[in-house]
């Protein structure tokens, strides 16, 4: 099948590459000319494990193409995915200008039947708005608009896309349903479902999923904070509740708050939608408030340890990305933590395997970037662990003690055993233990 993907970011590039991998002819369209140029030259512009191999294979075999020209990109496509940004607007609602602009551009280009798919995370009612824009110029026989929210996780995006738990497709058109089924069948051969529903329910499903996951995180963070005050160990509590099949093991890890390009903006957007409908969604407000506070917890622990004054102190930071295996730093807790440390007069030395270039755009030379995790703790008064990259899990503790000014660790991800680390001679504080 001929497929066009408009917007070649984390979602668009992964989707496009995986559709090509299953034999489709895919053209990815992006307005960022330098990004398109890089991709044409064989360079993958984001870090996502497993993507490069598929990208190389499919570009070399001529199934994956790139262009900045929307008309050229969609000319032969039967199906057009919109994987465009939907950032938070000033009032917290999702900004649909990217999606609606491309819909308008498409209305001036399309001459034969296309399935136009909203893959971006968009508020309930957006499929109807996209359809209305298209109808200003086009007859309804020339298109169907489908809502197909994406559930991939950055860091395991290729795996998630190739083997999705489920594919959600919102459409009332039988014709579009057939096209979507043909496209997705290779991805659900093990029997995971393609769940068809109406467009509004599909749009709501995505917000409900992300808001529920964010709720689990904020809930566990509050349980952890209470564990600290009660002398309980949140790790044990997590295992104790996670083995209950009604609850499940995943998404129960406390930490320094959720970040990334999705949870913060999607929870906020759903709260805004509720407000517009005069529904007071109290849980969502609490989830956001708890998360804002949780992002401050590690830096507050550090400040307390040094009696509120970090002048002359140097703090090493391990991990900057909002989670491991990505270079994405959007809404990353590390940004809040570093800003607060700098405000209190600390010097910061940071290391992340993939995200340092992105963080340089934010802090420039206000912090020092290190070549590896040990450089980042040379001569520091404390280490803050912010992202749980695998390489931080079993470090050389003896070496750490030798090179740190003080053997002091604030672990925002609970990656070490409390007693073992203290027995090694470290001051060690973590979350909820
Ligand atoms: P992104 O910012 O990484 O990528 C968006 C791309 O769209 C950029 O490359 C940008 O240059 C391009 N673009 C902007 N305007 C354009 C235009 N007019 N024509 C062509 N290209 C244009 O965004 P993302 O993280 O891939 O997210 C895209 C959507 O998918 C969002 O709605 C997001 O909420 C949703 N989503 C993201 C994830 C995730 O993990 N990142 C997961 C599920 C859903």
């Amino acid at each position: 099948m001929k497929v066009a993907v408009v917007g070649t970011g984390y979602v668009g590039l992964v989707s496009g590459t995986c559709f090509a991998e299953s034999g489709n002819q895919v053209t990815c369209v992006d307005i960022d000319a330098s990004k398109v140029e890089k991709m044409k030259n064989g360079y993958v512009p984001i870090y996502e494990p497993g993507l490069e191999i598929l990208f190389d294979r499919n570009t070399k075999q001529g199934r994956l193409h790139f262009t900045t020209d929307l008309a050229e990109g969609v000319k032969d496509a039967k199906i057009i995915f919109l994987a465009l940004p939907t950032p938070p607007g000033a009032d917290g609602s999702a900004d649909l200008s990217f999606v609606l602009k491309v819909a308008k551009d498409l209305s001036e280009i399309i001459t034969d039947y296309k399935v136009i798919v909203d893959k971006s995370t968009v508020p309930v009612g957006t499929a109807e708005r996209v359809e209305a824009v298209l109808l200003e110029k086009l007859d309804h026989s020339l298109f169907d608009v489908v809502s197909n929210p994406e559930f991939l996780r950055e860091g395991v995006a290729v795996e998630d896309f190739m083997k999705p738990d489920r594919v959600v497709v919102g459409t009332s058109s039988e014709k579009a349903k057939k096209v979507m089924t043909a496209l997705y069948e290779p991805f659900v051969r093990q029997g995971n479902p393609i769940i068809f529903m109406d467009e509004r329910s599909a749009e709501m499903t995505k917000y409900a999923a992300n808001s529920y996951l964010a709720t689990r995180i904020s809930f566990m963070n509050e349980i952890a904070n209470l564990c600290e005050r009660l002398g309980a160990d949140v790790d044990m509590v997590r295992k104790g509740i996670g083995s209950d099949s009604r609850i499940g093991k995943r998404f129960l890890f406390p930490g320094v708050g959720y970040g990334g390009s999705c949870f913060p903006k999607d929870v906020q957007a759903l709260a805004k939608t509720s407000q517009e409908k005069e529904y007071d969604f109290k849980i969502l407000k609490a989830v956001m408030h708890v998360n804002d506070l949780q992002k401050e917890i590690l830096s507050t622990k550090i400040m307390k340890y040094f009696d509120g004054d970090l002048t002359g102190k140097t703090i090493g930071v391990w991990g900057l990305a909002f989670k491991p295996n990505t270079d994405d730093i959007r809404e990353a807790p590390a940004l809040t933590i570093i800003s607060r440390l700098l405000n209190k007069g600390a010097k910061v030395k940071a290391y992340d395997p993939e995200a340092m270039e992105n963080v340089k755009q934010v802090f420039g030379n206000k912090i020092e970037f290190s070549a590896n995790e040990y450089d980042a703790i040379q001569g520091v008064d404390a280490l803050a662990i912010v992202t749980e990259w695998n390489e931080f899990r079993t470090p050389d503790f003896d070496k750490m003690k030798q090179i740190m000014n003080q053997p002091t660790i604030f672990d925002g991800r609970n990656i070490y055993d409390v007693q073992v680390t203290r027995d090694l001679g470290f001051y060690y504080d973590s979350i909820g233990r």
Side-chain angles (χ1 to χ4, degrees), residues 5-13 29-32 35 46 68 70 82-87 98-99 101-102 105 119-122 149-154 157 206 210 261-262 265-266 322-323 328 330:
V5 180
V6 188
T8 314
Y10 289 87
V11 168
L13 185 57
V29 184
D30 207 288
I31 41 162
D32 183 337
K35 200 177 201 177
I46 53 166
T68 51
L70 183 68
L82 309 183
L84 294 154
T86 48
F98 295 87
V99 172
K101 158 87 171 60
V102 172
D105 293 346
K119 197 164 233 347
S120 302
T121 302
V122 289
E150 181 50 57
F151 298 95
L152 63 76
R153 295 162 296 167
E154 283 177 25
K206 176 66 191 174
N210 275 1
S261 68
C262 292
K265 87 172 166 59
D266 294 348
F322 84 92
K323 66 174 180 180
D328 198 340
R330 290 177 279 188

Side-chain angles (χ1 to χ4, degrees), residues 165 188-194:
D165 287 343
V188 292
R189 288 171 54 80
Q190 287 178 342
N192 288 350
I194 301 178

Side-chain angles (χ1 to χ4, degrees), residues 144-389:
D144 278 308
V145 177
V146 169
S147 167
N148 169 222
E150 181 50 57
F151 298 95
L152 63 76
R153 295 162 296 167
E154 283 177 25
V156 273
V158 171
E159 202 180 313
D160 281 350
F161 198 90
M162 296 303 280
K163 288 183 186 160
D165 287 343
R166 73 332 203 161
V167 175
V168 168
V169 177
T171 180
S172 39
S173 151
E174 283 305 314
K175 198 171 170 184
K177 200 169 165 179
K178 279 193 190 130
V179 175
M180 295 299 282
T181 304
L183 184 68
Y184 273 111
E185 241 160 16
F187 299 92
V188 292
R189 288 171 54 80
Q190 287 178 342
N192 288 350
I194 301 178
I195 307 174
F196 290 98
M197 56 182 79
D198 63 276
E199 296 83 344
R200 285 181 167 249
S201 303
E203 289 161 343
M204 186 63 174
T205 299
K206 176 66 191 174
Y207 281 103
N210 275 1
S211 299
Y212 175 66
L213 292 171
T215 303
R216 262 173 94 102
I217 293 175
S218 278
F219 176 80
M220 278 313 285
N221 283 335
E222 293 228 273
I223 291 288
N225 297 339
L226 193 53
C227 280
E228 273 181 28
R229 286 157 179 82
L230 295 173
D233 180 341
V234 74
D235 261 355
M236 294 298 119
V237 176
R238 172 177 62 76
K239 287 177 186 156
I241 64 171
S243 43
D244 184 327
S245 61
R246 293 170 302 177
I247 295 172
K249 295 183 173 57
R250 294 165 73 182
F251 260 84
L252 291 180
F253 288 83
V256 286
Y258 60 77
S261 68
C262 292
F263 287 2
K265 87 172 166 59
D266 294 348
V267 175
Q268 207 184 7
L270 189 59
K272 182 68 189 165
T273 298
S274 311
Q275 192 193 344
E276 280 163 13
K277 291 290 163 195
E278 292 172 9
Y279 179 72
D280 185 16
F281 204 144
K282 299 173 201 67
I283 291 177
L284 283 189
K285 288 185 197 160
V287 167
M288 291 187 283
H289 183 55
V290 168
N291 197 57
D292 287 343
L293 298 176
Q294 198 69 16
K295 280 179 156 186
E296 297 186 350
I297 267 183
L298 202 69
S299 43
T300 301
K301 280 174 185 275
I302 295 171
M303 288 171 201
K304 275 194 188 146
Y305 180 82
F306 291 109
D307 294 328
D309 185 11
L310 297 180
T311 322
K313 302 282 182 248
T314 306
I315 313 296
V317 174
W318 281 3
L320 300 168
F322 84 92
K323 66 174 180 180
N325 297 320
T326 181
D327 58 353
D328 198 340
I329 59 157
R330 290 177 279 188
E331 304 281 336
L335 304 181
T336 307
I337 292 167
I338 291 173
S339 298
R340 293 188 87 224
L341 295 175
L342 292 176
N343 279 343
K344 284 285 170 190
K347 277 192 185 164
V348 171
K349 291 173 82 172
Y351 172 70
D352 186 285
E354 293 295 336
M356 291 201 289
E357 280 309 313
N358 287 335
V359 173
K360 276 181 196 160
Q361 314 288 324
V362 180
F363 289 112
N365 58 11
K366 286 195 198 126
I367 68 175
E368 191 181 321
F369 293 93
S370 303
N372 58 51
E373 62 266 45
Y374 295 107
D375 276 359
I377 55 169
Q378 187 82 43
V380 300
D381 297 286
L383 162 64
I385 300 175
V386 182
T387 317
E388 67 279 32
W389 285 90

Side-chain angles (χ1 to χ4, degrees), residues 2-6 25-29 73-74 77 79-82:
K2 292 207 164 120
V3 177
V5 180
V6 188
Q25 275 291 332
V26 179
T27 304
C28 294
V29 184
V74 305
I79 180 160
I80 304 169
F81 282 87
L82 309 183

